[in-house]
Amino acid sequence: TGSGAGNLSGGTFNFNTPNVSASVGAGLTAGATNLITVTATTGTVNISAPNATVPGVSAQAILHSGACDFIITGSSFSGGTGTDGTFAINKSSTGTITIRGTLNGTLAGSRTNCHGLSATAGNTIVIGNVNGSPNTGGNTNFGINQTAGSLTVIGNVSGGPGTIVTGK
């Protein structure tokens, strides 16, 4: 279990040990690729973060690639606004990810493929709302882009002019 105070700039946090918890006391903003990386192969990793955004980089704020289960609690996870192909959360893990918070497609109308969550393996549980991009240019900016595994959403699903959820 870990905690910290103040603003953090640059660097990454890699959770490669199972059954750990971390709490982020301020907003989480990715300024670099993979601000939080979860690579543990067993157990569960828990992270509490009040907000996650991905501005201006072709990356993701949170990468879940280990086979462990991952629980993240926050208020809002939004696709990037500065570069095409930016996700708040990128999941290639065979484990289950549980997201407690809102997933949004990008808020920038000129971006494409900027998802709240991009998942290519394993199962996803969302306890919160899922929103497609509210912008007219947001037709490929999904709240969730999941291509494998199962998806469960406990909350409201809404969209703008684009698609809200795509995939399998």
Side-chain angles (χ1 to χ4, degrees):
T1 301
S3 64
N7 294 322
L8 300 173
S9 174
T12 62
F13 298 94
N14 183 13
F15 294 88
N16 57 13
T17 303
N19 305 318
V20 297
S21 297
S23 178
V24 180
L28 174 64
T29 302
T33 302
N34 306 338
L35 181 63
I36 293 177
T37 301
V38 179
T39 59
T41 58
T42 61
T44 302
V45 171
N46 287 282
I47 295 177
S48 174
N51 204 347
T53 60
V54 187
V57 293
S58 183
Q60 55 273 326
I62 300 165
L63 173 63
H64 179 210
S65 61
C68 70
D69 291 335
F70 178 36
I71 300 169
I72 184 159
T73 303
S75 61
S76 178
F77 304 93
S78 301
T81 59
T83 303
D84 292 346
T86 58
F87 318 127
I89 303 169
N90 188 7
K91 179 186 183 305
S92 61
S93 168
T94 56
T96 296
I97 188 170
T98 301
I99 301 164
R100 294 182 177 129
T102 299
L103 287 169
N104 299 304
T106 187
L107 302 178
S110 61
R111 298 291 123 219
T112 59
N113 298 317
C114 296
H115 315 305
L117 168 70
S118 178
T120 59
N123 301 321
T124 300
I125 300 168
V126 178
I127 302 168
N129 300 325
V130 179
N131 303 304
S133 176
N135 299 294
T136 57
N139 59 354
T140 58
N141 299 307
F142 312 123
I144 299 172
N145 182 30
Q146 181 154 339
T147 59
S150 68
L151 171 63
T152 302
V153 176
I154 302 169
N156 297 317
V157 179
S158 63
T163 303
I164 304 162
V165 177
T166 187
K168 181 178 177 184

